[in-house]
Amino acid sequence: MIFKQLFEPDTFTYTYLLGCERTRRAVLIDPVATEVEHYISLLKELNLKLLYTMETHVHADHITGSGLLREWLGSKGVVHRDAGAMCADLLVTDGILLQVGDIEIEVRHTPGHTNGCLSYLVGDRVFTGDALFIGGCGRTDFQQGDAGRLYDSITNKLFTLPPDTLVYPGHDYNGNTVSSIKQEIAKNPRLGGGKSREEFIAIMNELNLPYPKYIDRALPANQACGREPAVRHG
């Protein structure tokens, strides 16, 4: 499998390119609109055809590149059916399997940060979006956030994976690139070390995080698959 981890520094967003070496078909997980030209150049360089853009959720911190990539390359957008982006081509649910050449992608519904959060399991690695970070997790104080539901998602859908499963998050703010399920179970400050559901909810309720910088622009755009509403004049 061809694998590239790409980083957008303004919002600390990770985008992942997965490509089948045999069929030259590929997917992008969580593409960012400002990086679309770079993705297209990379796909051309690697001789890959983009089949899907796969969202882990409707983002509040950046605008997705899925709409532009669909327009320019004919790729299909994938989101959870509860994500609030009915413009997508595939509205998926928990347990769905997507086949991209020789790559099998298992969809796991991991809500709590938002209703429509997804993680994607691909072989020995899982792409966790904003559900599980390296040494953290997504916030739960806006956009249908629910700390108890996030705890259940992580402990039931992610921490039950084999311990050596690699964890690739949607963001990292400290220069980390990859973790493992074993490491997060043991050391994650919010969830690790056997913390109870009640302890986790208390931690999340006391974070007092600032209002997301780009949410007022990003959220409506991402509900339209990355297409910003036209500005009316007069």
Side-chain angles (χ1 to χ4, degrees), residues 3 24-25 32-33 57 60 64 69 79 84 107 112 121 137-138 148 165 170 177 208 218 221 223 231-232:
F3 174 67
R24 314 311 295 182
R25 294 185 174 187
V32 180
H57 61 295
T64 178
L69 288 163
V79 302
V107 174
L121 180 63
C137 63
T165 303
T177 56
N208 296 317
Q223 289 170 334
V231 177
R232 294 183 179 181

Side-chain angles (χ1 to χ4, degrees), residues 147-227:
R149 199 177 186 198
L150 182 58
Y151 182 90
D152 295 340
S153 292
I154 293 170
T155 55
N156 295 329
K157 295 289 182 67
L158 299 176
F159 282 1
T160 53
L161 291 168
D164 292 338
T165 303
L166 300 174
V167 174
Y168 286 100
H171 302 275
D172 191 86
Y173 306 95
N174 301 300
N176 301 305
T177 56
V178 63
S179 181
S180 69
I181 292 297
K182 181 179 181 180
Q183 179 176 317
E184 296 310 312
I185 289 174
K187 298 181 178 180
N188 191 296
R190 298 180 186 174
L191 296 127
K195 284 188 176 61
S196 69
R197 193 175 192 269
E198 291 71 28
E199 288 176 305
F200 176 73
I201 291 171
I203 290 169
M204 297 305 290
N205 286 343
E206 294 168 5
L207 291 179
N208 296 317
L209 296 168
Y211 188 73
K213 183 178 178 182
Y214 296 122
I215 186 172
D216 293 330
R217 179 183 171 197
L219 196 54
N222 290 331
Q223 289 170 334
C225 294
R227 310 304 288 176

